[in-house]
Amino acid sequence: MPNFEVHNLWPIPVYKSEIPVREKWKVLIKGLEYVRTHINNSDISKDRFLLNSMPELKTEIEQHLENYVRKYLTVKDNAEFYLLNSWSNLHGPGEYSQIHCHANSIFSGVYYPILPDNSGDIAFHKSWNFKNIIDQNIHLEYKEHNNITSAQYVINLAEGDIVLFPSHLDHSVYENKSNNNRISIAFNFFVRGVFGKEEYKLEIK
C-alpha cells in the first residue's frame, strides 16, 4: 500500500460545550406559556426573546459564540455577532424535532437545561446539494460512516450541553423516548459591520 495523505477540505464546524444548569433556569422555562407548533410535534414558548429574561445564561451563550467564531473560526473583529431571538422548545414523550434549518440568521444554537435520559440526541444532515465527496446522483455505499461519509451525523447530548452551528445546516432531534418532557432553548445570531472595500464594500447595521 503506497503512503498517502488526505486533506479534509471545507468541513462544516459544529461547536459543543457545556453550561452548568441552574435550578432557577429550570423553574423559569417550566413556567413559560407554550403553544402548539404548526406541525403538531412539539410546543414552543410564546416568548421569542426568552434569553432577555435570563441575562446570566444569555451572557454565557454569547461568550461561547465568541469562542466559536474568534478562537476556532478566527473571524476578525470587524464582524460583530449579536443575538437575534431565542425561545424554548418542549417535546413530550414520543415527540421529536423534524429536519430543518434556521433562516435569516448566521449562526444558530441550542441549549439543553432539561434533558431526561433517553429523550433524544441532535442529528445533523448533509444537504442534497453539498458535494463533499461526489454528487448524490450516484449513491456510494461505505464500510464506515463518519463525519466525511455519513449523510447524517449524531451528537450525543447531556443536560447542560450547548451546541452551535451555521444556521444553514439541516438538523433534527430524535424522538423523546423518556416519560418526561425534554425542554431546550434555541437561539439565532446575526452579524453587523463593514465588510470588503471599494465596489465590494458592504455595511450591515
Side-chain angles (χ1 to χ4, degrees):
M1 175 71 71
N3 293 329
F4 65 92
E5 62 180 29
V6 174
H7 300 264
N8 291 322
L9 304 181
W10 306 297
I12 300 177
V14 174
Y15 173 104
K16 180 185 176 187
S17 189
E18 180 187 9
I19 300 173
V21 182
R22 301 187 185 186
E23 188 61 32
K24 64 180 180 180
W25 298 344
K26 292 187 177 186
V27 172
L28 189 152
I29 61 175
K30 285 179 180 178
L32 292 173
E33 188 175 357
Y34 289 87
V35 295
R36 199 67 179 160
T37 58
H38 69 281
I39 56 174
N40 199 34
N41 67 348
S42 62
D43 294 339
I44 186 170
S45 65
K46 282 190 172 182
D47 187 351
R48 304 301 167 85
F49 303 95
L50 173 59
L51 288 172
N52 288 341
S53 60
M54 306 174 74
E56 296 161 322
L57 178 57
K58 179 182 177 182
T59 296
E60 293 208 46
I61 288 173
E62 290 171 336
Q63 290 171 347
H64 279 282
L65 192 281
E66 282 292 302
N67 197 40
Y68 179 34
V69 299
R70 308 297 181 196
K71 294 186 178 180
Y72 182 78
L73 298 178
T74 68
V75 176
K76 292 184 177 180
D77 289 339
N78 62 310
E80 178 190 351
F81 296 93
Y82 64 95
L83 188 70
L84 270 179
N85 46 26
S86 52
W87 62 96
S88 182
N89 295 304
L90 188 155
H91 293 88
E95 296 182 338
Y96 65 97
S97 178
Q98 78 286 358
I99 298 175
H100 65 285
C101 63
H102 292 213
N104 299 323
S105 56
I106 302 294
F107 291 104
S108 297
V110 61
Y111 175 64
Y112 293 91
I114 299 179
L115 189 74
D117 291 341
N118 204 30
S119 62
D121 291 319
I122 190 167
F124 292 92
H125 305 265
K126 185 170 71 173
S127 172
W128 183 258
N129 62 3
F130 185 69
K131 302 174 178 64
N132 66 317
I133 303 176
I134 62 170
D135 195 290
Q136 292 296 307
N137 289 331
I138 301 175
H139 188 74
L140 294 182
E141 297 179 356
Y142 301 99
K143 296 178 181 178
E144 178 183 347
H145 293 281
N146 52 40
N147 62 317
I148 300 169
T149 62
S150 294
Q152 174 180 288
Y153 190 86
V154 177
I155 293 181
N156 300 127
L157 298 170
E159 194 165 278
D161 280 349
I162 177 174
V163 181
L164 303 171
F165 48 89
S167 298
H168 67 82
L169 183 58
D170 285 340
H171 56 285
S172 64
V173 184
Y174 283 177
E175 177 186 350
N176 178 2
K177 294 184 178 180
S178 78
N179 296 319
N180 300 295
N181 293 332
R182 176 182 73 223
I183 307 181
S184 61
I185 297 173
F187 46 86
N188 293 317
F189 282 86
F190 204 69
V191 67
R192 53 185 163 226
V194 178
F195 311 102
K197 58 184 178 180
E198 298 178 355
E199 70 271 27
Y200 301 109
K201 182 178 178 181
L202 170 66
E203 182 175 4
I204 303 176
K205 298 182 178 180

